Amino acid sequence: MSKSLILCNCLGTQALDPSAVSAASGLSCSKVHTALCGAELDAAAHAIKSGDAVIACQQQRMTFETLAEDLGVDAPGFVDLRDRAGWSEQAEHAAPKMAALAAEAVLPGSPANTVDVSSEGVCLIIGRGEVAFDLADQLKTALTLTVLTTDAAEPGWTRDYDIIRGRVRQLTGALGGFELRLDALQQIEPGGRGAPTFTDPQDGARSRCDIIIDVTGQPALVPAPQKREGYLKADPGDPRAVAALAIEAVQLVGTFEKPLYVRLEESLCAHSRAGQEGCRNCLDICPTGAISPAGDHVAIDPMVCAGCGSCAALCPSTAITYDDPPVSHLLLRMQTLARTYRAAGGEAPRLLLHDAHGAEMIRLAARFGRGLPADVIPLDVQVVSGIGHAEMLAALAHGFAEVDVLLAPRTERDALDRELELAEALGGGGRLRLLDLEDPDALSEVLYESAPRAAIAEPVLPLGNRRQIARLAAQTLNTDADAPLALPPGAPYGAVLVNTDACTLCLSCVSLCPSGALIDNPDLPQLRFQEDACLQCGLCSNICPENAIALKPQMDLSDAALTQRVLNEEEPFACIECGSLFGVKSTIDRIMEKLAGVHPMFASSEQARMIQMCDDCRVNAQFHSENNPFAGKTPPRVRTTDDYFSKRRDH
């Protein structure tokens, strides 16, 4: 059954064209209601009962969800046409955008992967006694408390919670699984007369808890504390902030679903090989410290990960991919928006990527200001910090004339700035922007004042992983490129340059290359290279004993990047015994020059000849040499029956 779009003009404040929306989106549209959430609520109830209804209103979503619950049916779908299109200075031209938004709204969602997190309410309060004790008195009936005082405040006689002194050396984990290491730990002596006394200080104590409340007024015990679930921090001098912690803490008891934001494929990770460090993009960019080295690859703590997506945006090998939702789902939404907009008669749409903060700015701009231009299509994502160069270029390849990313006040910009620079070098052409605005009116002004640009004539559908998407999009956007595109330092695409005079073809680089971009030839002394596989991780240049390798960030859009080419080759050496080819002639000659007649093992001419033999002939020559290294003692003679009879005395 096809979806049915239930329209409402919100008391006549917006113009809707049901026929245009239906023709382009493929949805059947109802008549245009005026007060669907009020006087015409019966019409909404009838549509919801019939099933497969999509209500064109987000403001009164709770009303319609409650109505569906009362009717005993599933809640309908929702799409916001009013704030994103209908309330605009260019509302008379908004039909193509409305059709695009409606078509995107009915796409099937991507199922989220989650893990259950259990918190039993075991809470540690850290701070000065005066503040910590007052907070503990508020929470003692709701949580299992321990107060860690950072001063010498008298603990009092309460036994409603434990009181200790000390300092936190290390804190790891998140909600439901914090682990602490404490130094100078002192506990109250349970017995004795007079004022409570403490035990002697001890270092290295370990403890676990579900919730941490930090009212020390000192720097946080974890990076990005606002992103660490279960870690609550406030200024002890702000009574309202401290009281708010108490309210928030009691809500953190129970079982919760924690999204698994990213997926890690360890075999693709280019962090390290054989003790040599290569890529560390994710380690350097992660704001929460959720990523740590784990041998040849990295490890991600899903309990600490806050889902900013920066690691996935910067990962050169696609070992880390964003999974809530995956990139393929985001590209499907982009493609649906662009295709439907053009099908409805629109030309050169612009894409505005935003998160929840951006959605609120759009609503305010629509209600009190100019709204969005008719050609600006907003696309909400969970976080904009995970938008990488591949997504930006894919949007242009889908047929968007421009791509703007609207930042929130707390958006991590480091990865976005790098990815924007890379996307521009790959074909952005000045059509990509980061909008760091906090005023809804300023947002409208920037979008209305942008000079119109043309979209590509023949949009494509980029598929595959991020690297494949970026390459296909770059080819689409650079049809006239006749040379490799120069990229900024640190780009994940490029060539390997080899100094052939210094290279000895030891092939250490081949053994460490994590992506197979550097390849040997099993039959000849050759170093081969396939550019599209190169991650520019630097492992090859780090391991090269001759410092013969340099990296050149670029993207070759021709088919030559998909084939192997020879970076260095030399004449092989022919075994002096059997003639089979092995090794490198120049290397064998240098070894002969340095060792023959000089080193004790190769003092004689016969010993030196072994350097010029292949593996099989060398073993054979050693076996038959005068000083055979494989020779053992002369084996004893085999005893026979006659030997036994000859020693018997009875015959």
Side-chain angles (χ1 to χ4, degrees):
M1 183 183 297
S2 63
K3 298 285 186 179
S4 178
L5 185 63
I6 313 303
L7 300 173
C8 179
N9 62 19
C10 198
L11 300 179
T13 57
Q14 63 171 332
L16 298 170
D17 187 347
S19 59
V21 172
S22 178
S25 66
L27 302 173
S28 62
C29 293
S30 71
K31 73 169 189 176
V32 178
H33 298 86
T34 300
L36 196 62
C37 59
E40 297 177 276
L41 193 61
D42 289 342
H46 178 74
I48 292 172
K49 286 177 64 176
S50 64
D52 292 311
V54 178
I55 308 294
C57 177
Q58 282 283 8
Q59 176 178 293
Q60 299 299 325
R61 178 171 186 154
M62 186 176 295
T63 299
F64 297 117
E65 288 179 338
T66 303
L67 177 60
E69 184 178 353
D70 293 342
L71 295 173
V73 297
D74 293 336
F78 297 92
V79 59
D80 180 10
L81 300 183
R82 185 195 67 186
D83 295 340
R84 298 191 291 174
W87 283 356
S88 166
E89 280 190 359
Q90 300 178 352
E92 67 274 11
H93 305 298
K97 178 161 71 168
M98 290 185 178
L101 294 173
E104 185 269 336
V106 298
L107 290 175
S110 176
N113 295 318
T114 61
V115 61
D116 287 344
V117 176
S118 179
S119 170
E120 298 178 354
V122 179
C123 177
L124 176 66
I125 301 176
I126 310 172
R128 297 193 304 271
E130 180 183 358
V131 177
F133 293 153
D134 288 345
L135 186 57
D137 289 336
Q138 298 178 47
L139 295 172
K140 62 186 180 183
T141 59
L143 302 175
T144 303
L145 296 174
T146 298
V147 176
L148 171 59
T149 62
T150 56
D151 58 7
E154 288 297 329
W157 296 101
T158 181
R159 292 296 181 266
D160 294 328
Y161 46 83
D162 295 328
I163 300 174
I164 59 176
R165 291 175 179 171
R167 63 178 180 272
V168 179
R169 182 203 304 178
Q170 183 182 38
L171 174 62
T172 59
L175 176 66
F178 283 107
E179 296 187 0
L180 302 99
R181 296 194 66 180
L182 306 174
D183 286 341
L185 174 65
Q186 295 179 278
Q187 298 173 284
I188 292 180
E189 292 282 8
R193 186 180 181 185
T197 58
F198 286 85
T199 61
D200 293 334
Q202 293 184 336
D203 293 340
R206 296 176 180 271
S207 184
R208 296 173 59 91
C209 63
D210 299 318
I211 305 165
I212 298 284
I213 298 180
D214 182 352
V215 287
T216 60
Q218 301 297 318
L221 300 171
V222 295
Q226 73 279 5
K227 294 178 175 289
R228 186 67 63 95
E229 293 176 347
Y231 183 87
L232 310 179
K233 181 174 174 60
D235 181 359
D238 186 348
R240 290 188 177 183
V242 175
L245 290 189
I247 297 174
E248 188 175 355
V250 297
Q251 306 299 320
L252 297 179
V253 180
T255 301
F256 308 91
E257 285 190 345
K258 164 74 173 178
L260 299 177
Y261 295 109
V262 296
R263 184 188 301 272
L264 172 64
E265 182 58 54
E266 296 176 352
S267 62
L268 299 179
C269 182
H271 169 60
S272 174
R273 293 293 186 275
Q276 295 289 326
E277 187 176 89
C279 173
R280 54 176 298 114
N281 288 350
C282 59
L283 293 168
D284 293 336
I285 204 66
C286 180
T288 63
I291 306 178
S292 58
D296 286 351
H297 53 83
V298 298
I300 301 177
D301 186 344
M303 299 297 104
V304 176
C305 174
C308 72
S310 297
C311 56
L314 293 181
C315 182
S317 65
T318 69
I320 300 178
T321 54
Y322 203 77
D323 204 39
D324 187 35
V327 175
S328 58
H329 187 262
L330 176 59
L331 264 59
L332 175 62
R333 296 174 66 196
M334 290 182 182
Q335 192 252 353
T336 301
L337 289 171
R339 182 190 61 204
T340 308
Y341 184 88
R342 292 192 301 271
E347 297 180 2
R350 293 182 284 166
L351 183 66
L352 177 63
L353 293 161
H354 64 86
D355 58 9
H357 177 268
E360 182 62 21
M361 287 187 65
I362 291 171
R363 284 192 289 269
L364 293 173
R367 180 171 289 275
F368 301 107
R370 304 173 66 185
L372 297 181
D375 62 341
V376 173
I377 304 179
L379 177 59
D380 62 299
V381 294
Q382 184 167 323
V383 288
V384 297
S385 52
I387 300 297
H389 67 278
E391 291 88 340
M392 298 178 190
L393 295 173
L396 295 178
H398 279 308
F400 287 100
E402 290 182 1
V403 178
D404 292 325
V405 181
L406 180 57
L407 307 181
R410 292 189 176 183
T411 299
E412 290 84 3
R413 287 198 55 157
D414 293 343
L416 278 170
D417 289 335
R418 291 172 57 179
E419 291 298 284
L420 177 64
E421 182 184 10
L422 177 57
E424 285 289 351
L426 287 170
R431 294 171 289 180
L432 308 170
R433 294 184 300 181
L434 301 181
L435 302 182
D436 193 358
L437 305 169
E438 297 184 10
D439 184 359
D441 290 334
L443 172 63
S444 297
E445 291 300 321
V446 168
L447 295 176
Y448 275 101
E449 292 174 1
S450 295
R453 293 175 178 269
I456 60 173
E458 297 183 5
V460 298
L461 178 60
L463 297 174
N465 60 35
R466 265 192 164 111
R467 292 181 65 86
Q468 294 165 336
I469 290 168
R471 179 176 178 81
L472 179 57
Q475 288 176 325
T476 304
L477 300 171
N478 296 276
T479 54
D480 56 347
D482 54 2
L485 304 176
L487 302 181
Y493 313 99
V496 168
L497 307 179
V498 174
N499 182 347
T500 56
D501 293 332
C503 177
T504 61
L505 287 174
C506 68
L507 302 181
S508 297
C509 54
V510 173
S511 62
L512 263 63
C513 181
S515 63
L518 291 170
I519 314 146
D520 65 344
N521 186 337
D523 300 320
L524 292 172
Q526 284 184 342
L527 175 61
R528 297 182 175 184
F529 176 66
Q530 184 169 326
E531 184 168 325
D532 80 307
C534 180
L535 308 177
Q536 298 281 287
C537 64
L539 278 169
C540 55
S541 59
N542 292 343
I543 196 62
C544 181
E546 310 297 338
N547 294 323
I549 294 180
L551 304 178
K552 182 181 180 181
Q554 66 176 33
M555 178 176 280
D556 186 352
L557 301 177
S558 69
D559 291 342
L562 307 178
T563 60
Q564 297 178 13
R565 57 187 174 91
V566 177
L567 296 182
N568 191 21
E569 63 179 337
E570 290 195 31
E571 179 185 353
F573 190 84
C575 175
I576 59 175
E577 289 290 329
C578 67
S580 61
L581 301 179
F582 77 100
V584 181
K585 186 177 185 302
S586 62
T587 302
I588 301 296
D589 291 342
R590 282 197 297 270
I591 294 175
M592 284 290 294
E593 180 182 348
K594 293 183 178 182
L595 298 183
V598 178
H599 195 279
M601 290 186 62
F602 306 101
S604 67
S605 60
E606 288 299 319
Q607 291 173 318
R609 279 171 52 84
M610 293 185 186
I611 298 175
Q612 300 173 307
M613 298 180 188
C614 66
D615 293 345
D616 293 338
C617 293
R618 188 180 304 118
V619 171
N620 186 53
Q622 288 176 321
F623 186 80
H624 292 93
S625 65
E626 181 177 352
N627 298 317
N628 179 9
F630 304 108
K633 295 181 179 180
T634 303
R637 187 175 65 85
V638 178
R639 294 178 63 84
T640 65
T641 303
D642 292 338
D643 294 326
Y644 287 100
F645 283 146
S646 65
K647 292 184 179 182
R648 292 180 60 178
R649 300 179 180 179
D650 57 349
H651 68 285

